[in-house]
Amino acid sequence: MLPGLKAGFTLDARLEADSEQLMWLGLCELRVMNDRRWPWLLLVPQRPGAEEIHDMTPLDQAMLTFETNMVAQALKKATGCTKINTGALGNIVRQLHIHVVARSEGDPGWPGPVWGHGLREPYQRSDLRRFAQTIRAAL
């Protein structure tokens, strides 16, 4: 079994289609949302059946908080953004995942939410790799 891969865990097909794997953290797979309008990361806890944070053990909840904060700090450092938006909505994709989005005044949709604003603009492969390298370095 690959490091970080949890038995019985399968990534939701929509998350897989809309994002690219960046790296494995202790609990979560860190992914980049493939939308160049916003620096946008996803943390996906590798726990089969988890839909809500309260579905996880207290230890996993603490680890998720630690990893979310670590990623948010790295994203802020890497982008110099005005605000970090963090959320776990799950209305469409039920599998537990945490969005960490860098927002700055004047970005598309500011100050409104990123969800439902316009059409996704996928990264060029080279730009996605460059952004991923920047995040890895900040972590």
Side-chain angles (χ1 to χ4, degrees):
M1 190 177 322
L2 296 173
L5 187 60
K6 304 299 180 209
F9 179 82
T10 304
L11 182 65
D12 182 277
R14 288 164 289 198
L15 293 179
E16 190 165 8
D18 291 345
S19 62
E20 300 284 331
Q21 183 183 31
L22 179 63
M23 64 189 298
W24 295 98
L25 304 173
L27 172 68
C28 297
E29 178 183 357
L30 181 60
R31 300 182 67 84
V32 176
M33 190 66 126
N34 193 5
D35 189 340
R36 66 183 181 85
R37 297 175 296 166
W38 300 282
W40 186 342
L41 303 173
L42 296 173
L43 290 102
V44 185
Q46 304 295 285
R47 294 297 183 254
E51 292 186 2
E52 308 288 350
I53 294 170
H54 63 259
D55 290 338
M56 298 191 313
T57 67
L59 182 58
D60 281 350
Q61 291 173 27
M63 191 66 171
L64 178 61
T65 299
F66 173 78
E67 290 179 5
T68 301
N69 290 339
M70 181 176 67
V71 166
Q73 288 172 346
L75 186 59
K76 182 138 187 159
K77 177 181 173 185
T79 64
C81 65
T82 305
K83 182 78 175 91
I84 293 288
N85 291 174
T86 305
L89 285 78
N91 296 342
I92 295 173
V93 175
R94 300 302 286 269
Q95 183 174 62
L96 179 59
H97 60 288
I98 310 295
H99 297 267
V100 182
V101 187
R103 300 296 307 275
S104 293
E105 293 180 33
D107 74 24
W110 178 269
V114 296
W115 292 276
H117 180 83
L119 298 175
R120 182 167 64 102
E121 297 176 17
Y123 281 97
Q124 295 291 325
R125 269 328 224 179
S126 59
D127 293 336
L128 183 61
R129 280 193 300 275
R130 192 170 18 264
F131 178 57
Q133 288 171 342
T134 302
I135 296 302
R136 281 189 201 98
L139 285 167

